[in-house]
Amino acid sequence: MLNAMALLCLLTAAPQSPALAGRWAGGFRQGDQFVSIEVQVEDIGESNELSALVTLPERGLRLPARVAQDGRRVTWVVDGDSEPRARFGGELNERTLRGRIEGAAIKGPVACDLVRVVPWSKEHRARYRGRYRTDAGATVDIVLVPRQSGDTLGVELPAAGLRSVLFPVSATEAVAGDGECPLPIAARVVFELGAAGRVDGVAVEAKGQRWVARRQPDADGEALPSPPHPVVAPGLGVERRVVSIDAGDVQLAATLYIPPGVERPCPAVVQLHGSSPTRRRMQWSYYTSICLRMGLAVLAFDKRGCGESTGAFRAFTVAGSAKLFDQLASDGAAAHTWLRQQPEIDPERVGLVGGSQAGWIMPLVAEKTPDVGFIVSGCGCTVSAGEEDQHAAWLREGLSLAAADRRLESYDGPRGFDPRPVLRRSKTPTLWLFGERDDVIPTRACLIELEKLRAEGHLLHDGHVFADADHNYRTSGDGVLLEPVITAWLRQRGILR
């Protein structure tokens, strides 16, 4: 069994002067963006000279480069008018090329890591893509990753917390790093072929463990396709625009993400925050990525006082909750107003999405700006800040969920911000997503309030409960998929077409 470090050592073991010719893939980071790079190096005749073509797939650039190799030391340069557009210098091993890149178009020097790849054909991608399952019930999904330069594959293994792009190193093997990054290598994926090249299974080595999963057939014996939620990560066909939004007393540092292949003008959401000090890069792992996969553009911003946004971050307290939420709602309203004015966006299909604390804030945003098209609230509260805070405190003290729920029925303490009047005034279609065993918000009390709203005729509030799920939608199994529930609701409302 190989752990990630041993695998990296294996891949980097090499002769004294490994050959450079071949195809390399990877990239580098610029702020919150990952810039994908592919480099094709070729020998020129018998003179041992090298030439290279550097491709930035998501930017549509194909640039010739001058290449030099001195043992393991490699440099390549993309010339510019007065100075190089890009200059790379790094260390070559058999399957990795690691170094730093800088130039007129790059805020550097920054780390740039590449892996030697053997690109898979369309037929390879079609054969490998699908759902696999271990004897213990863990799922391994090999999913399609759409890219402007040609689709690739990604791997999702919830049991290992693995969700990454695959870099093929042979006809049946691939390595994966962190998200879209190839290095350091976090996992190795090997496909097992049976008779006539049929794909029987896949082995995944990650975090010192090994999973062997079998292909899952459907009722007709055909391989099940992978679920319709491809990995979307920065740099993989997603268009982005970094902007600054005036929110009165603060400037919000934000990025507008537009997924590949959507018809414009497209629907969009503003991503709101939970209670923690949140930067937009941190939001990629969940709601932002979910929305991009569904075909929604996303405006994500650094919470005030966090990252590159100005102002001061304020922590949640029950006593200060009403003032805090009003302030954060003003930020959300400014972001929503800006988003509706963008030419790529359909102003009639712009909503809000967020989790936890955002459930209190988003209805306030809709009161501050009149054109919020919809709200998707993940584990948000329909009860007061004081009720939520006390319920969570009882759980931390060791009360069971059922006992805390019962005690909350007679709670008569401080309430802080209470969303009930706002929700009764709301004219915005809202989808409330709850986890059955949420240990942060009181799901049972929230559902009771939601039922009261609907009984009173406030039918724009819809709810969905995920069985066995906690505040982060984790379950005792593989977790839950939010996309099918949200997609169906947005289609019913005419947001997705």
Side-chain angles (χ1 to χ4, degrees), residues 145-214:
V145 179
R147 299 181 68 172
Q148 293 174 355
S149 60
D151 296 341
T152 186
L153 294 180
V155 58
E156 297 183 5
L157 174 55
L162 179 65
R163 187 183 180 91
S164 302
V165 175
L166 289 176
F167 292 83
V169 296
S170 78
T172 58
E173 299 175 61
V175 296
D178 175 17
E180 71 277 31
C181 305
L183 299 173
I185 291 167
R188 178 172 175 261
V189 177
V190 180
F191 293 95
E192 301 176 1
L193 304 184
R198 183 185 65 248
V199 181
D200 290 337
V202 64
V204 181
E205 296 174 0
K207 298 184 178 179
Q209 299 185 61
R210 188 171 190 266
W211 289 264
V212 177
R214 297 295 146 199

Coordinates of all heavy atoms in Angstrom, one line a residue, residues 145-214:
V145 N -15.1 16.4 -16.4 CA -14.8 17.8 -16.0 C -14.8 18.6 -17.3 O -13.9 18.4 -18.2 CB -13.4 17.8 -15.4 CG1 -13.0 19.3 -15.1 CG2 -13.3 17.0 -14.1
P146 N -15.7 19.5 -17.5 CA -15.8 20.2 -18.8 C -14.7 21.3 -18.8 O -14.5 22.0 -17.9 CB -17.2 20.8 -18.8 CG -17.5 20.9 -17.3 CD -16.9 19.8 -16.6
R147 N -14.0 21.3 -20.0 CA -13.0 22.4 -20.2 C -13.1 22.9 -21.6 O -13.5 22.2 -22.5 CB -11.6 21.8 -19.9 CG -11.3 21.2 -18.6 CD -9.9 20.7 -18.4 NE -8.9 21.7 -18.4 CZ -7.7 21.6 -18.2 NH1 -7.2 20.4 -17.8 NH2 -6.8 22.6 -18.2
Q148 N -12.7 24.2 -21.7 CA -12.8 24.8 -23.0 C -11.9 24.1 -24.0 O -12.2 24.0 -25.2 CB -12.5 26.3 -22.9 CG -13.5 27.1 -22.1 CD -13.0 28.5 -21.9 OE1 -11.9 28.9 -22.3 NE2 -13.9 29.3 -21.3
S149 N -10.8 23.6 -23.6 CA -9.8 22.9 -24.5 C -10.1 21.4 -24.7 O -9.3 20.8 -25.4 CB -8.4 23.1 -23.9 OG -8.3 22.5 -22.6
G150 N -11.1 20.9 -24.1 CA -11.4 19.5 -24.2 C -11.7 18.9 -22.8 O -10.9 19.2 -21.9
D151 N -12.7 18.1 -22.7 CA -13.1 17.5 -21.4 C -12.0 16.6 -20.8 O -11.3 16.0 -21.6 CB -14.4 16.8 -21.5 CG -15.5 17.7 -21.9 OD1 -15.4 18.9 -21.7 OD2 -16.6 17.2 -22.4
T152 N -12.0 16.5 -19.5 CA -11.1 15.6 -18.8 C -11.9 14.9 -17.8 O -13.2 15.0 -17.7 CB -9.9 16.3 -18.3 OG1 -9.0 15.3 -17.7 CG2 -10.2 17.2 -17.2
L153 N -11.3 14.1 -16.9 CA -12.0 13.4 -15.9 C -11.6 13.8 -14.5 O -10.5 14.3 -14.3 CB -11.8 11.9 -16.0 CG -12.4 11.2 -17.3 CD1 -12.1 9.7 -17.3 CD2 -13.9 11.4 -17.4
G154 N -12.5 13.6 -13.5 CA -12.2 13.8 -12.1 C -12.6 12.7 -11.3 O -13.3 11.8 -11.8
V155 N -12.1 12.6 -10.0 CA -12.5 11.5 -9.1 C -13.2 12.1 -7.9 O -12.7 13.1 -7.4 CB -11.3 10.7 -8.7 CG1 -10.2 11.5 -8.1 CG2 -11.7 9.5 -7.8
E156 N -14.2 11.4 -7.4 CA -14.9 11.8 -6.2 C -15.0 10.6 -5.3 O -15.6 9.6 -5.7 CB -16.3 12.4 -6.4 CG -16.3 13.7 -7.3 CD -17.6 14.3 -7.4 OE1 -18.6 13.7 -6.8 OE2 -17.8 15.2 -8.2
L157 N -14.3 10.6 -4.1 CA -14.3 9.5 -3.2 C -14.7 10.1 -1.8 O -13.8 10.5 -1.1 CB -13.0 8.8 -3.1 CG -12.8 7.7 -2.1 CD1 -13.9 6.7 -2.1 CD2 -11.4 7.1 -2.2
P158 N -16.0 10.2 -1.5 CA -16.4 10.9 -0.2 C -15.7 10.3 1.0 O -15.4 11.0 2.0 CB -17.9 10.7 -0.2 CG -18.3 10.6 -1.6 CD -17.2 9.9 -2.3
A159 N -15.5 9.0 1.0 CA -14.9 8.3 2.2 C -13.6 8.8 2.5 O -13.1 8.7 3.7 CB -14.9 6.8 2.0
A160 N -12.8 9.3 1.5 CA -11.5 9.9 1.8 C -11.5 11.4 1.7 O -10.4 12.0 1.8 CB -10.5 9.3 0.8
G161 N -12.7 12.0 1.5 CA -12.7 13.5 1.3 C -12.0 13.9 0.1 O -11.4 15.0 0.0
L162 N -12.0 13.0 -1.0 CA -11.2 13.3 -2.2 C -12.2 13.8 -3.3 O -13.2 13.1 -3.6 CB -10.6 12.0 -2.6 CG -9.7 12.0 -3.9 CD1 -8.5 13.0 -3.8 CD2 -9.3 10.6 -4.3
R163 N -11.8 14.9 -3.9 CA -12.6 15.5 -5.0 C -11.6 16.2 -5.8 O -11.3 17.4 -5.6 CB -13.7 16.4 -4.5 CG -14.6 16.9 -5.5 CD -15.6 17.9 -4.9 NE -16.6 18.5 -5.8 CZ -17.7 17.9 -6.1 NH1 -18.1 16.8 -5.5 NH2 -18.5 18.5 -7.0
S164 N -11.1 15.6 -6.9 CA -9.9 16.1 -7.6 C -10.0 15.8 -9.1 O -10.7 14.9 -9.5 CB -8.6 15.5 -7.0 OG -8.5 15.8 -5.7
V165 N -9.2 16.6 -9.8 CA -9.0 16.4 -11.2 C -8.0 15.3 -11.4 O -7.0 15.2 -10.7 CB -8.6 17.7 -11.9 CG1 -8.2 17.4 -13.4 CG2 -9.6 18.8 -11.8
L166 N -8.2 14.5 -12.4 CA -7.3 13.4 -12.7 C -6.3 13.8 -13.8 O -6.6 14.4 -14.8 CB -8.0 12.1 -13.2 CG -8.8 11.4 -12.1 CD1 -9.6 10.2 -12.8 CD2 -7.9 10.9 -11.0
F167 N -5.0 13.4 -13.6 CA -3.9 13.6 -14.6 C -3.4 12.3 -15.0 O -2.8 11.6 -14.2 CB -2.8 14.5 -13.9 CG -3.2 15.9 -13.7 CD1 -3.8 16.2 -12.5 CD2 -2.9 16.9 -14.6 CE1 -4.2 17.5 -12.2 CE2 -3.2 18.2 -14.3 CZ -3.9 18.5 -13.1
P168 N -3.8 11.8 -16.2 CA -3.4 10.5 -16.7 C -1.9 10.3 -16.9 O -1.3 11.2 -17.6 CB -4.2 10.3 -18.0 CG -4.5 11.7 -18.5 CD -4.6 12.6 -17.2
V169 N -1.3 9.3 -16.3 CA 0.1 9.1 -16.5 C 0.4 7.8 -17.3 O 1.5 7.5 -17.6 CB 0.8 9.0 -15.2 CG1 0.7 10.4 -14.5 CG2 0.3 7.9 -14.2
S170 N -0.7 7.0 -17.6 CA -0.6 5.9 -18.5 C -2.0 5.6 -19.0 O -2.9 6.3 -18.7 CB 0.0 4.6 -17.8 OG -1.0 4.0 -17.0
A171 N -2.1 4.6 -19.8 CA -3.4 4.3 -20.4 C -4.5 3.9 -19.4 O -5.7 4.1 -19.6 CB -3.3 3.2 -21.5
T172 N -4.0 3.4 -18.2 CA -5.0 3.0 -17.2 C -4.7 3.6 -15.8 O -5.4 3.3 -14.9 CB -4.9 1.4 -17.0 OG1 -3.5 1.1 -16.7 CG2 -5.3 0.7 -18.3
E173 N -3.8 4.5 -15.7 CA -3.4 5.1 -14.4 C -3.5 6.6 -14.5 O -3.3 7.3 -15.5 CB -2.0 4.8 -14.0 CG -1.7 3.3 -13.9 CD -0.3 3.0 -13.6 OE1 0.2 3.5 -12.6 OE2 0.4 2.4 -14.4
A174 N -3.8 7.2 -13.3 CA -3.9 8.7 -13.2 C -3.5 9.0 -11.8 O -3.6 8.2 -10.9 CB -5.3 9.2 -13.5
V175 N -3.0 10.3 -11.6 CA -2.8 10.8 -10.3 C -3.6 12.0 -10.1 O -4.1 12.6 -11.0 CB -1.3 11.2 -10.1 CG1 -0.4 9.9 -10.2 CG2 -0.8 12.2 -11.1
A176 N -3.8 12.3 -8.8 CA -4.7 13.5 -8.5 C -4.0 14.3 -7.3 O -3.4 13.7 -6.4 CB -6.1 13.0 -8.0
G177 N -4.2 15.6 -7.4 CA -3.6 16.4 -6.3 C -4.8 17.0 -5.5 O -5.8 16.4 -5.2
D178 N -4.6 18.3 -5.2 CA -5.6 19.0 -4.4 C -6.5 19.8 -5.3 O -6.1 20.8 -5.9 CB -4.9 20.0 -3.4 CG -5.9 20.8 -2.7 OD1 -7.1 20.5 -2.6 OD2 -5.5 21.9 -2.1
G179 N -7.8 19.3 -5.5 CA -8.7 19.9 -6.4 C -8.2 19.9 -7.9 O -8.1 18.8 -8.5
E180 N -7.8 21.0 -8.4 CA -7.3 21.1 -9.8 C -5.8 21.0 -9.9 O -5.2 21.0 -11.0 CB -7.8 22.3 -10.5 CG -7.2 23.6 -10.0 CD -7.8 24.2 -8.8 OE1 -8.3 23.4 -7.9 OE2 -7.8 25.4 -8.7
C181 N -5.1 21.0 -8.7 CA -3.6 21.0 -8.7 C -3.1 19.6 -8.8 O -3.6 18.7 -8.1 CB -3.1 21.7 -7.4 SG -3.8 23.3 -7.0
P182 N -2.1 19.4 -9.6 CA -1.5 18.0 -9.8 C -0.6 17.6 -8.6 O -0.5 16.4 -8.3 CB -0.8 18.1 -11.1 CG -0.3 19.5 -11.2 CD -1.4 20.3 -10.6
L183 N 0.1 18.6 -8.0 CA 1.1 18.3 -7.0 C 0.9 19.1 -5.8 O 0.4 20.3 -5.9 CB 2.5 18.5 -7.6 CG 2.9 17.7 -8.8 CD1 4.3 18.2 -9.3 CD2 3.0 16.2 -8.4
P184 N 1.2 18.6 -4.6 CA 1.7 17.3 -4.3 C 0.6 16.2 -4.6 O -0.6 16.5 -4.4 CB 2.1 17.3 -2.9 CG 1.2 18.4 -2.3 CD 1.1 19.4 -3.3
I185 N 1.0 15.1 -5.0 CA 0.1 14.0 -5.4 C -0.6 13.5 -4.1 O 0.0 13.2 -3.1 CB 0.8 12.9 -6.1 CG1 1.3 13.3 -7.4 CG2 -0.1 11.6 -6.2 CD1 2.3 12.4 -8.1
A186 N -1.9 13.5 -4.2 CA -2.8 13.1 -3.1 C -3.3 11.7 -3.3 O -3.7 11.1 -2.3 CB -3.9 14.1 -2.9
A187 N -3.4 11.3 -4.5 CA -4.1 10.0 -4.8 C -3.6 9.4 -6.1 O -3.1 10.1 -7.0 CB -5.6 10.1 -4.8
R188 N -3.6 8.1 -6.2 CA -3.3 7.4 -7.4 C -4.6 6.5 -7.8 O -5.1 5.9 -6.9 CB -2.1 6.5 -7.2 CG -1.7 5.6 -8.4 CD -0.4 5.0 -8.2 NE 0.0 4.1 -9.3 CZ -0.2 2.7 -9.2 NH1 -0.7 2.2 -8.2 NH2 0.2 2.0 -10.2
V189 N -5.0 6.6 -9.0 CA -6.1 5.9 -9.5 C -5.7 4.9 -10.6 O -5.1 5.3 -11.6 CB -7.2 6.8 -10.0 CG1 -8.4 6.1 -10.6 CG2 -7.6 7.8 -8.9
V190 N -6.1 3.6 -10.5 CA -5.7 2.6 -11.5 C -7.0 1.9 -11.9 O -7.7 1.3 -11.0 CB -4.7 1.6 -10.9 CG1 -4.4 0.5 -12.0 CG2 -3.5 2.3 -10.4
F191 N -7.3 1.8 -13.2 CA -8.5 1.2 -13.7 C -8.1 -0.3 -14.0 O -7.1 -0.6 -14.6 CB -9.0 1.9 -14.9 CG -9.6 3.2 -14.6 CD1 -8.8 4.4 -14.7 CD2 -10.9 3.4 -14.1 CE1 -9.3 5.6 -14.4 CE2 -11.4 4.6 -13.8 CZ -10.6 5.8 -14.0
E192 N -9.0 -1.2 -13.6 CA -8.8 -2.6 -13.9 C -9.6 -3.0 -15.1 O -10.8 -2.9 -15.1 CB -9.2 -3.4 -12.6 CG -8.4 -3.0 -11.4 CD -8.9 -3.8 -10.2 OE1 -9.9 -4.6 -10.3 OE2 -8.4 -3.5 -9.1
L193 N -8.9 -3.6 -16.1 CA -9.6 -4.0 -17.3 C -9.8 -5.5 -17.4 O -8.9 -6.3 -16.9 CB -8.7 -3.6 -18.5 CG -8.4 -2.1 -18.6 CD1 -7.6 -1.8 -19.9 CD2 -9.6 -1.2 -18.6
G194 N -10.9 -5.9 -17.9 CA -11.3 -7.3 -18.0 C -11.2 -7.7 -19.5 O -10.4 -7.2 -20.3
A195 N -12.0 -8.7 -19.8 CA -12.1 -9.2 -21.2 C -12.5 -8.1 -22.2 O -13.3 -7.3 -21.9 CB -13.1 -10.3 -21.3
A196 N -11.8 -8.1 -23.3 CA -12.1 -7.2 -24.4 C -12.0 -5.7 -24.0 O -12.6 -4.8 -24.5 CB -13.5 -7.4 -25.0
G197 N -11.1 -5.5 -23.0 CA -10.9 -4.1 -22.5 C -12.0 -3.5 -21.7 O -12.0 -2.3 -21.4
R198 N -12.9 -4.4 -21.2 CA -14.0 -3.9 -20.4 C -13.5 -3.4 -19.1 O -12.6 -4.0 -18.5 CB -15.0 -5.0 -20.1 CG -16.2 -4.6 -19.3 CD -17.1 -5.8 -18.9 NE -16.4 -6.7 -18.1 CZ -16.0 -8.0 -18.4 NH1 -16.2 -8.4 -19.6 NH2 -15.4 -8.7 -17.5
V199 N -14.0 -2.3 -18.6 CA -13.5 -1.7 -17.3 C -14.3 -2.4 -16.2 O -15.5 -2.2 -16.0 CB -13.8 -0.2 -17.2 CG1 -13.3 0.3 -15.9 CG2 -13.0 0.5 -18.4
D200 N -13.6 -3.2 -15.4 CA -14.3 -4.0 -14.3 C -14.3 -3.2 -13.0 O -15.2 -3.4 -12.2 CB -13.6 -5.3 -14.1 CG -13.8 -6.3 -15.2 OD1 -14.8 -6.1 -16.0 OD2 -13.0 -7.2 -15.4
G201 N -13.2 -2.4 -12.7 CA -13.2 -1.8 -11.4 C -12.1 -0.7 -11.4 O -11.4 -0.4 -12.4
V202 N -11.9 -0.1 -10.2 CA -10.9 0.9 -10.0 C -10.3 0.8 -8.6 O -11.0 0.4 -7.7 CB -11.5 2.3 -10.2 CG1 -12.6 2.6 -9.2 CG2 -10.5 3.4 -10.2
A203 N -9.0 1.0 -8.5 CA -8.4 1.0 -7.2 C -7.9 2.5 -7.0 O -7.3 3.1 -7.9 CB -7.2 0.1 -7.2
V204 N -8.1 3.0 -5.8 CA -7.7 4.3 -5.4 C -6.9 4.3 -4.2 O -7.3 3.7 -3.2 CB -9.0 5.2 -5.1 CG1 -8.5 6.6 -4.8 CG2 -9.9 5.2 -6.3
E205 N -5.7 4.8 -4.2 CA -4.8 4.9 -3.1 C -4.7 6.4 -2.7 O -4.3 7.2 -3.4 CB -3.4 4.4 -3.4 CG -3.4 2.9 -3.8 CD -2.0 2.4 -4.3 OE1 -1.1 3.3 -4.3 OE2 -1.9 1.2 -4.6
A206 N -5.1 6.6 -1.4 CA -5.1 8.0 -0.9 C -5.1 8.0 0.6 O -5.7 7.1 1.2 CB -6.4 8.8 -1.4
K207 N -4.3 8.9 1.2 CA -4.3 9.1 2.6 C -3.9 7.8 3.3 O -4.4 7.4 4.4 CB -5.6 9.6 3.2 CG -6.0 11.0 2.6 CD -7.2 11.5 3.3 CE -7.5 12.9 2.7 NZ -8.7 13.5 3.3
G208 N -3.0 7.0 2.7 CA -2.5 5.8 3.3 C -3.4 4.6 3.3 O -3.2 3.6 3.9
Q209 N -4.5 4.8 2.5 CA -5.5 3.7 2.4 C -5.7 3.3 1.0 O -5.3 4.1 0.1 CB -6.8 4.1 3.1 CG -6.7 4.4 4.5 CD -8.1 4.7 5.1 OE1 -9.0 3.8 5.1 NE2 -8.3 5.9 5.6
R210 N -6.3 2.2 0.8 CA -6.6 1.7 -0.6 C -8.0 1.2 -0.7 O -8.5 0.4 0.2 CB -5.6 0.5 -1.0 CG -5.7 0.1 -2.4 CD -4.6 -0.8 -2.7 NE -4.4 -1.1 -4.2 CZ -5.0 -2.1 -4.8 NH1 -5.8 -3.0 -4.1 NH2 -4.8 -2.3 -6.1
W211 N -8.7 1.7 -1.7 CA -10.1 1.3 -1.9 C -10.1 0.6 -3.3 O -9.6 1.1 -4.3 CB -11.0 2.5 -2.0 CG -11.3 3.2 -0.7 CD1 -12.3 3.0 0.2 CD2 -10.5 4.2 0.0 NE1 -12.2 3.8 1.3 CE2 -11.1 4.5 1.2 CE3 -9.3 4.8 -0.4 CZ2 -10.6 5.5 2.1 CZ3 -8.8 5.8 0.5 CH2 -9.4 6.1 1.7
V212 N -10.8 -0.5 -3.3 CA -11.0 -1.3 -4.6 C -12.5 -1.3 -4.8 O -13.3 -1.8 -4.0 CB -10.4 -2.7 -4.5 CG1 -10.8 -3.4 -5.8 CG2 -8.9 -2.7 -4.3
A213 N -12.9 -0.7 -5.9 CA -14.4 -0.6 -6.2 C -14.7 -1.2 -7.5 O -13.9 -1.2 -8.4 CB -14.8 0.9 -6.2
R214 N -15.9 -1.8 -7.6 CA -16.4 -2.5 -8.8 C -17.4 -1.6 -9.5 O -18.2 -0.9 -8.9 CB -17.1 -3.8 -8.4 CG -16.2 -4.8 -7.7 CD -15.1 -5.3 -8.7 NE -13.8 -5.6 -8.0 CZ -12.7 -5.6 -8.6 NH1 -12.6 -5.4 -9.9 NH2 -11.6 -5.9 -8.0

